[in-house]
Short mmCIF file of all heavy atoms in Angstrom, two decimals:
data_model
loop_
_atom_site.label_atom_id
_atom_site.label_comp_id
_atom_site.label_asym_id
_atom_site.label_seq_id
_atom_site.Cartn_x
_atom_site.Cartn_y
_atom_site.Cartn_z
N GLN U 1 0.85 -1.17 -0.03
CA GLN U 1 -0.05 -0.06 -0.05
C GLN U 1 0.90 1.28 0.03
O GLN U 1 1.71 1.33 0.91
CB GLN U 1 -0.92 -0.01 1.28
CG GLN U 1 -1.78 1.20 1.33
CD GLN U 1 -2.88 1.32 0.27
OE1 GLN U 1 -3.43 0.34 -0.09
NE2 GLN U 1 -3.08 2.52 -0.30
N MET U 2 0.75 2.10 -1.01
CA MET U 2 1.66 3.20 -1.15
C MET U 2 0.76 4.49 -1.06
O MET U 2 -0.15 4.75 -1.93
CB MET U 2 2.33 3.20 -2.49
CG MET U 2 3.03 1.88 -2.74
SD MET U 2 4.06 1.87 -4.27
CE MET U 2 2.77 1.98 -5.46
N ASN U 3 1.00 5.34 -0.10
CA ASN U 3 0.27 6.53 0.20
C ASN U 3 1.26 7.81 0.08
O ASN U 3 2.44 7.53 0.13
CB ASN U 3 -0.37 6.58 1.49
CG ASN U 3 -1.37 5.41 1.66
OD1 ASN U 3 -2.02 5.04 0.73
ND2 ASN U 3 -1.57 4.99 2.92
N SER U 4 0.67 8.92 -0.16
CA SER U 4 1.48 10.12 -0.22
C SER U 4 2.62 9.99 -1.25
O SER U 4 3.73 10.28 -0.97
CB SER U 4 2.10 10.49 1.17
OG SER U 4 1.02 10.64 2.17
N LEU U 5 2.28 9.46 -2.38
CA LEU U 5 3.31 9.23 -3.37
C LEU U 5 3.86 10.48 -3.85
O LEU U 5 3.37 11.53 -3.98
CB LEU U 5 2.61 8.46 -4.62
CG LEU U 5 2.41 7.02 -4.32
CD1 LEU U 5 1.36 6.42 -5.33
CD2 LEU U 5 3.71 6.23 -4.42
N LYS U 6 5.17 10.35 -4.23
CA LYS U 6 6.11 11.41 -4.67
C LYS U 6 6.56 11.08 -6.04
O LYS U 6 6.74 9.96 -6.40
CB LYS U 6 7.23 11.61 -3.72
CG LYS U 6 6.87 11.92 -2.25
CD LYS U 6 8.10 11.93 -1.48
CE LYS U 6 7.71 12.15 0.11
NZ LYS U 6 8.91 12.23 0.89
N PRO U 7 6.94 12.10 -6.86
CA PRO U 7 7.51 11.87 -8.19
C PRO U 7 8.72 10.95 -8.12
O PRO U 7 8.97 10.04 -8.96
CB PRO U 7 7.92 13.14 -8.67
CG PRO U 7 6.90 14.11 -8.04
CD PRO U 7 6.73 13.52 -6.66
N GLU U 8 9.54 11.00 -7.03
CA GLU U 8 10.81 10.18 -6.87
C GLU U 8 10.39 8.70 -6.57
O GLU U 8 11.27 7.88 -6.56
CB GLU U 8 11.65 10.66 -5.80
CG GLU U 8 10.97 10.99 -4.45
CD GLU U 8 10.68 12.46 -4.33
OE1 GLU U 8 10.10 13.05 -5.34
OE2 GLU U 8 10.82 12.97 -3.29
N ASP U 9 9.11 8.39 -6.43
CA ASP U 9 8.71 6.94 -6.18
C ASP U 9 8.52 6.32 -7.59
O ASP U 9 8.17 5.09 -7.68
CB ASP U 9 7.40 6.93 -5.42
CG ASP U 9 7.56 7.31 -4.01
OD1 ASP U 9 8.57 6.95 -3.32
OD2 ASP U 9 6.63 8.09 -3.47
N THR U 10 8.52 7.03 -8.68
CA THR U 10 8.41 6.50 -10.01
C THR U 10 9.50 5.52 -10.27
O THR U 10 10.67 5.72 -10.15
CB THR U 10 8.45 7.61 -11.14
OG1 THR U 10 7.31 8.55 -10.83
CG2 THR U 10 8.47 7.10 -12.55
N ALA U 11 9.02 4.30 -10.70
CA ALA U 11 9.89 3.15 -10.95
C ALA U 11 9.04 1.88 -11.32
O ALA U 11 7.83 1.98 -11.26
CB ALA U 11 10.69 2.81 -9.67
N VAL U 12 9.81 0.90 -11.76
CA VAL U 12 9.12 -0.48 -11.90
C VAL U 12 9.28 -1.15 -10.58
O VAL U 12 10.45 -1.17 -10.03
CB VAL U 12 9.89 -1.20 -13.07
CG1 VAL U 12 9.24 -2.56 -13.07
CG2 VAL U 12 9.78 -0.49 -14.44
N TYR U 13 8.19 -1.65 -10.09
CA TYR U 13 8.25 -2.29 -8.81
C TYR U 13 8.08 -3.78 -8.92
O TYR U 13 7.36 -4.29 -9.71
CB TYR U 13 7.00 -1.77 -7.95
CG TYR U 13 7.25 -0.43 -7.36
CD1 TYR U 13 7.23 0.67 -8.14
CD2 TYR U 13 7.45 -0.32 -6.01
CE1 TYR U 13 7.46 2.00 -7.65
CE2 TYR U 13 7.59 1.02 -5.53
CZ TYR U 13 7.73 2.13 -6.25
OH TYR U 13 7.83 3.32 -5.65
N TYR U 14 9.06 -4.43 -8.26
CA TYR U 14 9.00 -5.99 -8.36
C TYR U 14 8.79 -6.60 -6.93
O TYR U 14 9.30 -6.05 -6.00
CB TYR U 14 10.48 -6.37 -8.76
CG TYR U 14 10.97 -5.88 -10.15
CD1 TYR U 14 11.59 -4.57 -10.20
CD2 TYR U 14 10.66 -6.56 -11.25
CE1 TYR U 14 12.00 -4.24 -11.50
CE2 TYR U 14 11.18 -6.17 -12.53
CZ TYR U 14 11.78 -4.89 -12.62
OH TYR U 14 12.16 -4.44 -13.82
N CYS U 15 8.07 -7.61 -6.95
CA CYS U 15 8.07 -8.41 -5.76
C CYS U 15 9.00 -9.62 -5.93
O CYS U 15 9.32 -9.99 -7.07
CB CYS U 15 6.61 -8.93 -5.42
SG CYS U 15 6.05 -10.18 -6.53
N ALA U 16 9.46 -10.15 -4.78
CA ALA U 16 10.43 -11.13 -4.75
C ALA U 16 10.20 -12.04 -3.60
O ALA U 16 9.80 -11.60 -2.50
CB ALA U 16 11.84 -10.57 -4.71
N ALA U 17 10.62 -13.33 -3.67
CA ALA U 17 10.47 -14.36 -2.67
C ALA U 17 11.85 -14.70 -2.07
O ALA U 17 12.88 -14.87 -2.88
CB ALA U 17 9.83 -15.57 -3.21
N ASP U 18 11.93 -14.74 -0.72
CA ASP U 18 13.18 -15.05 -0.01
C ASP U 18 13.70 -16.46 -0.42
O ASP U 18 12.82 -17.37 -0.72
CB ASP U 18 12.86 -15.08 1.37
CG ASP U 18 14.13 -15.05 2.27
OD1 ASP U 18 15.23 -15.39 1.87
OD2 ASP U 18 13.98 -14.62 3.45
N LYS U 19 14.98 -16.62 -0.49
CA LYS U 19 15.52 -17.98 -0.93
C LYS U 19 15.58 -18.91 0.30
O LYS U 19 15.67 -20.08 0.11
CB LYS U 19 16.88 -17.81 -1.50
CG LYS U 19 17.95 -17.27 -0.43
CD LYS U 19 19.35 -17.27 -1.11
CE LYS U 19 19.60 -16.41 -2.24
NZ LYS U 19 20.95 -16.28 -2.68
N VAL U 20 15.39 -18.41 1.55
CA VAL U 20 15.46 -19.21 2.70
C VAL U 20 14.10 -19.26 3.38
O VAL U 20 13.44 -18.22 3.66
CB VAL U 20 16.50 -18.65 3.73
CG1 VAL U 20 16.52 -19.44 5.06
CG2 VAL U 20 17.88 -18.60 3.05
N SER U 21 13.71 -20.48 3.73
CA SER U 21 12.31 -20.56 4.41
C SER U 21 12.49 -20.30 5.85
O SER U 21 13.54 -20.44 6.53
CB SER U 21 11.76 -21.96 4.23
OG SER U 21 12.60 -22.95 4.80
N PHE U 22 11.37 -19.71 6.46
CA PHE U 22 11.26 -19.44 7.81
C PHE U 22 12.45 -18.62 8.43
O PHE U 22 12.78 -18.77 9.53
CB PHE U 22 11.10 -20.83 8.67
CG PHE U 22 9.95 -21.64 8.17
CD1 PHE U 22 10.22 -22.90 7.77
CD2 PHE U 22 8.74 -21.18 8.26
CE1 PHE U 22 9.20 -23.72 7.34
CE2 PHE U 22 7.55 -22.04 7.98
CZ PHE U 22 7.89 -23.27 7.41
N ARG U 23 12.85 -17.67 7.68
CA ARG U 23 13.92 -16.77 8.08
C ARG U 23 13.42 -15.97 9.26
O ARG U 23 12.30 -15.43 9.22
CB ARG U 23 14.36 -15.88 7.02
CG ARG U 23 15.78 -15.21 7.29
CD ARG U 23 16.00 -14.17 6.31
NE ARG U 23 16.25 -14.58 4.93
CZ ARG U 23 17.52 -14.85 4.40
NH1 ARG U 23 18.56 -14.70 5.21
NH2 ARG U 23 17.61 -15.29 3.17
N ALA U 24 14.24 -15.91 10.33
CA ALA U 24 13.81 -15.19 11.55
C ALA U 24 13.79 -13.67 11.44
O ALA U 24 12.92 -13.03 12.04
CB ALA U 24 14.73 -15.59 12.76
N VAL U 25 14.68 -13.15 10.54
CA VAL U 25 14.70 -11.70 10.33
C VAL U 25 14.59 -11.36 8.79
O VAL U 25 15.30 -12.00 8.02
CB VAL U 25 15.99 -11.10 10.89
CG1 VAL U 25 16.05 -9.61 10.63
CG2 VAL U 25 16.13 -11.42 12.41
N VAL U 26 13.71 -10.50 8.53
CA VAL U 26 13.54 -10.25 7.11
C VAL U 26 14.80 -9.64 6.43
O VAL U 26 15.53 -8.83 7.27
CB VAL U 26 12.36 -9.35 6.81
CG1 VAL U 26 11.06 -10.02 7.13
CG2 VAL U 26 12.47 -7.99 7.59
N ALA U 27 15.09 -9.92 5.25
CA ALA U 27 16.30 -9.46 4.55
C ALA U 27 15.97 -8.26 3.61
O ALA U 27 14.93 -8.27 3.05
CB ALA U 27 16.96 -10.62 3.81
N ALA U 28 16.95 -7.38 3.61
CA ALA U 28 16.78 -6.24 2.67
C ALA U 28 17.72 -6.37 1.45
O ALA U 28 17.55 -5.61 0.49
CB ALA U 28 17.08 -4.89 3.43
N ASP U 29 18.64 -7.27 1.48
CA ASP U 29 19.55 -7.47 0.44
C ASP U 29 18.83 -8.29 -0.74
O ASP U 29 18.42 -9.37 -0.49
CB ASP U 29 20.83 -8.16 0.96
CG ASP U 29 21.92 -8.28 -0.12
OD1 ASP U 29 21.71 -8.07 -1.25
OD2 ASP U 29 23.00 -8.68 0.34
#
């Protein structure tokens, strides 16, 4: 959910699935 959008938010947005199951801490890499 994206609110208060700004011109700098312009991009192609991709979703992705983690390679590790049940990871305790979400990854940003």
Side-chain angles (χ1 to χ4, degrees):
Q1 177 67 43
M2 305 186 295
N3 299 329
S4 302
L5 282 161
K6 305 175 181 179
E8 50 264 43
D9 294 319
T10 295
V12 177
Y13 283 71
Y14 300 89
C15 70
D18 196 340
K19 64 173 63 173
V20 175
S21 61
F22 302 119
R23 195 190 294 263
V25 179
V26 293
D29 187 346

